[in-house]
Amino acid sequence: MQHIDTVTTIVPVVDENDIPRQLAKIAERDEDLRVRARQGYQLTHTASVAGPHFTTFVDTFTHDGGE
């Protein structure tokens, strides 16, 4: 049976004074993607939606489980 999982990350749009906060959210997303990959999931799609205050990333993964 195939499993589908999504990871949503909201990254703030910041000025140069708050870049560490933005980089922390990007690092969090990177770690979430790595964890899914170690669990055997494959990244199949990434959507990004840019807004005035946040950029939202939705990553979709599939996993062919043995259930």
Side-chain angles (χ1 to χ4, degrees):
M1 172 182 258
Q2 186 178 59
H3 300 275
I4 298 173
D5 191 18
T6 59
V7 174
T8 302
T9 309
I10 299 172
V11 178
V13 174
V14 299
D15 61 22
E16 60 274 356
N17 296 325
D18 286 330
I19 288 178
R21 184 170 67 112
Q22 184 182 54
L23 292 175
K25 289 300 288 185
I26 292 169
E28 178 184 308
R29 176 175 178 254
D30 185 51
E31 180 59 22
D32 287 342
L33 299 181
R34 287 177 193 271
V35 166
R36 293 304 186 289
R38 284 193 300 265
Q39 293 172 341
Y41 283 85
Q42 294 182 354
L43 180 64
T44 58
H45 186 264
T46 297
S48 60
V49 180
H53 303 290
F54 299 96
T55 299
T56 303
F57 294 91
V58 180
D59 299 292
T60 303
F61 297 85
T62 59
H63 185 279
D64 294 323
E67 293 180 20

